[in-house]
Each structure stands twice: as structure tokens, then as C-alpha cells.
Amino acid sequence: MKKRILTGDRPTGKLHLGHYVGSLKNRIKLQDEYEQFIMLADVQALTDNFENPEKVRQNIFNVALDYLSVGIDPKKSTIFIQSQIPGIAELTVFYMNLVTVARLERNPTVKTEIKQKGMEDSLPLGFLAYPVSQAADITIVKSNLVPVGEDQLPMIEQTREIVRKFNFLYGDVFPEPEAVIGDVPRLVGIDGSYKMSKSLGNAILLSDSASEVEKKVMSMYTDPNRIKANTPGSIEGNPLFIYLDAFAPEAEREKIGKYKDLYRLGQVGDIEVKKYLSRILNEFLDPIRNRRLKYENNPKLVEEILKDGTKRVGDIAQKTMGEVKKAMKIDYFT
Ligand code: ATP
Ligand code: MG
């Protein structure tokens, strides 16, 4: 039997380059070797978007399109919608007994997000508890591996703790899942900030047109100390070179090395490097754009893929919940 993968994204916006290097690339690579489940995390998206259900609904289609465009193959990977699997909500309730509030409040990613979203004084319980719900997502299909970006490591650790506690108290039901991190664990934003994110407006989208990419790259943050093209620049932490390293094909390595040398010496301008980066990114995105066209014009096909996937996971979830209830001694009428 193949080992399993569970991973997913919040339908809060279209996917971007950070998703690609952080997680999508691993999913494409691993979908042959593993039985892979990819979840549209609409319940999780609602924890901080509950006033905006329309946004979440629209992005279900957008994110599904992004998956298919990058080469997630619906014949190899099962794409499904979180809210349609009632077992996940049920399992979350059982897991809530196994986690303390203090433990949730220590989660560094959740802490950062609460600050970013200005929710310090109005924190929804559902948001604080989303790592518990995520443990239910991962374990309901008995996942072994979870391809994620670096910000999700605390969630996987939380999941492992819950699994250990559950198995200890009620008997061995779940495998302890492991995280697998992408080539670039955390891609910086075009504004040079900590993380490219759908919610921060600092992303290059996988669905951006060539001219949108060019416009965004031209506005990119580079080295703030570089006032003129002949001021020596720094490469470290410079998004231009971080993106070049992440998205250029092997054949461009030598040229990139030369650009780095010239940049350090103040012998090449930001504009020239930006033009080069635009070309590299557009060449990377072209095959993704082409694949997108096929699905974009066929929304019925996308809907079928989601329906089939959700049905498959529904069956697996039911089976897991049967085992969970038996282990917890709440299987009264079987
Ligand atoms: P939101 O702002 O709504 O939280 P997001 O851009 O953080 O959106 P998520 O749906 O939360 O995207 O994350 C989906 C997956 O993509 C996670 O595994 C996450 O770690 C990964 N990911 C997101 N942004 C990046 C990034 N900039 N670099 C690497 N991985 C990323
Ligand atoms: Mg996120």
C-alpha cells in the first residue's frame, strides 16, 4: 500500500510563487509515489474570513484551477473540499480535549497571524483552535507526510502531539505524520517583507499575465541602500536574486552568477536585473498559463474533479471515524 499525503491551502485568494516553491512543487513530485489528498481548506479560511463567505466560495474555484494549472493530476491526486467532510469537524471536537489553551497560545505562527490581522482583542475561538482542526484534516486520511512551507511547521508538531496522546489514551489508530519542506521554505514578498502571502498583497500570482508580472517586478523592493546603479549592491536578502535562484532553469545559473558579481560591484542597474527576472518568471509561468486555459474554459470539468475527490475522501473519513469511535468507546449502536 502506498503511503499517504495530506496537504492543502486556504481558499482566501489565488495561489502565488511562494506556494509553488514552498509546497506545490513537492506535491507534483510526490504524487506518483504517494496516495495524495489535497484539501481546499474553506473551514479554516472562514476562521478569519467568516464575515466574507463569498470570498471563500469564489476562491475554491480559483485555487482548484491553480492546482490543475501547475500540474497536479486529478488521476493521481485527490482534490477535495474540507467543509463537505463532516468527520473532520467531529474529530476536531474530540481532539480539543487533548490540547490546552496555553499550548495553542504558544504557537508562534498563530501568534504572528493574530498580530498581523489585528485580532488581539477580538480573537475568534475558531481561529485560535485552527491548528487542532488541522490535526483532524491531516489524520482523517491517516496521512504520513505533509508538504508545507516553513510557517506550517508548528502545526505539524501540534498534530504529532495530538496523535501521540490519542494513540496513548485510546489505542493505536493514527500514524505520526511528518512535514516535508520545499526548496524555499519561506519565499519573501515583492515588498521584501518576511513572507509572500495572499492576504498581504505582496505576491506574484501563478495566474498573473506577462504584463502584470513585469509591472510587479519593476516595482520590487531590492537593496534599499542602493541609490544609483553604480552603488555596490548586496545579494543576500535581495528578493531579485532570491527569485532568480528559485525560478531560473539550470541553464541560466552561469548568467545569474555573473549578474551577482556585477551587482556587488555596482556595475549593473536594478532595471536590467529586473527585466531579466521578468523574462525568467514569465518563461516559468508560460506552461502553467497554457494548462490553465484548458480548465478555465471548462468549469464543469473542475466541478466534477472536486465532486469525485470529495466523495472519495468522504468514504475514507467515514471509515476512520468508525475506528475513532470504537477506540473512544462511543460506538454504541454498531
Ligand atoms: P493566507 O495569507 O490566507 O494565510 P497564505 O499565502 O499564507 O494565505 P496558505 O493557504 O495559508 O497561504 O498556505 C498554503 C501553503 O503554502 C502552506 O503550506 C504554506 O506554508 C505555504 N506557503 C504560503 N506562503 C508561502 C511562502 N511565501 N513561502 C513558502 N511557502 C508558503
Ligand atoms: Mg497562511
Side-chain angles (χ1 to χ4, degrees):
M1 233 178 69
K2 278 185 180 175
K3 287 199 166 182
R4 285 182 175 170
I5 287 180
L6 181 289
T7 175
D9 307 271
R10 296 152 37 94
T12 50
K14 297 175 176 170
L15 299 188
H16 51 64
L17 294 177
H19 293 111
Y20 189 86
V21 285
S23 175
L24 294 171
K25 197 173 168 186
N26 269 333
R27 302 182 203 177
I28 298 159
K29 192 172 85 192
L30 297 169
Q31 65 183 343
D32 292 305
E33 199 186 323
Y34 286 79
E35 187 178 2
Q36 177 161 258
F37 300 93
I38 304 182
M39 186 183 77
L40 293 156
D42 58 344
V43 177
Q44 188 183 120
L46 284 166
T47 60
D48 56 328
N49 290 279
F50 54 87
E51 288 163 317
N52 208 347
E54 197 52 46
K55 168 178 158 188
V56 174
R57 188 184 177 101
Q58 274 171 10
N59 281 304
I60 287 279
F61 183 71
N62 288 334
V63 176
L65 259 186
D66 284 324
Y67 290 161
L68 298 164
S69 307
V70 296
I72 300 283
D73 180 347
K75 290 198 188 76
K76 298 176 184 166
S77 298
T78 303
I79 306 174
F80 73 102
I81 304 178
Q82 183 185 24
S83 61
Q84 305 307 298
I85 310 296
I88 293 177
E90 224 180 338
L91 191 53
T92 302
V93 171
F94 300 148
Y95 284 171
M96 282 188 173
N97 300 329
L98 311 183
V99 184
T100 65
V101 173
R103 172 69 181 87
L104 290 173
E105 284 171 342
R106 275 202 308 273
N107 184 310
T109 299
V110 173
K111 262 194 199 161
T112 310
E113 289 173 342
I114 291 171
K115 233 188 250 150
Q116 262 170 7
K117 295 170 201 287
M119 298 196 303
E120 290 98 332
D121 298 323
S122 58
L123 179 62
L125 178 56
F127 190 83
L128 180 67
Y130 92 70
V132 180
S133 161
Q134 207 166 314
D137 306 333
I138 293 169
T139 53
I140 198 121
V141 298
K142 299 195 177 176
S143 174
N144 307 95
L145 207 66
V146 192
V148 282
E150 183 186 67
D151 62 301
Q152 291 301 305
L153 285 179
M155 313 306 168
I156 311 304
E157 193 41 48
Q158 176 74 79
T159 302
R160 291 165 63 85
E161 285 172 28
I162 291 174
V163 164
R164 284 197 292 266
K165 198 153 183 185
F166 186 100
N167 287 347
F168 172 76
L169 289 171
Y170 307 122
D172 261 334
V173 173
F174 298 112
E176 231 179 277
E178 269 169 52
V180 50
I181 297 290
D183 293 350
V184 183
R186 175 180 45 78
L187 192 72
V188 296
I190 56 171
D191 55 356
S193 73
Y194 181 72
K195 175 177 173 284
M196 183 178 284
S197 158
K198 307 190 207 91
S199 313
L200 300 177
N202 62 0
I204 293 178
L205 304 178
L206 298 171
S207 50
D208 276 342
S209 68
S211 63
E212 281 165 329
V213 168
E214 206 175 307
K215 214 170 113 203
K216 285 183 183 176
V217 170
M218 286 303 159
S219 77
M220 264 174 75
Y221 170 97
T222 58
D223 173 352
N225 298 319
R226 206 165 183 242
I227 300 151
K228 285 185 281 177
N230 60 4
T231 315
S234 75
I235 305 296
E236 286 65 39
N238 188 329
L240 287 185
F241 292 98
I242 294 175
Y243 291 8
L244 281 174
D245 285 339
F247 296 99
E250 222 25 65
E252 298 287 329
R253 295 283 156 232
E254 208 183 305
K255 189 162 171 189
I256 293 171
K258 278 189 193 139
Y259 266 135
K260 285 182 181 171
D261 292 342
L262 292 174
Y263 199 87
R264 282 196 191 94
L265 294 167
Q267 289 174 4
V268 61
D270 274 13
I271 306 274
E272 186 177 335
V273 182
K274 284 180 169 177
K275 282 194 174 142
Y276 175 57
L277 175 61
S278 295
R279 179 165 71 74
I280 293 290
L281 290 180
N282 278 325
E283 282 171 10
F284 166 76
L285 290 170
D286 275 337
I288 298 177
R289 290 174 181 135
N290 288 338
R291 238 182 268 115
R292 176 181 303 272
L293 281 179
K294 168 177 153 200
Y295 291 104
E296 211 165 31
N297 297 324
N298 199 348
K300 269 270 164 276
L301 174 63
V302 179
E303 196 184 314
E304 278 308 311
I305 290 169
L306 296 183
K307 235 187 185 166
D308 286 355
T310 302
K311 165 88 181 50
R312 279 201 58 202
V313 175
D315 295 344
I316 294 171
Q318 233 174 12
K319 187 162 170 273
T320 304
M321 288 315 289
E323 292 172 40
V324 164
K325 288 179 184 173
K326 185 160 181 253
M328 294 181 71
K329 305 198 185 306
I330 52 175
D331 58 333
Y332 305 108
F333 304 122
T334 52

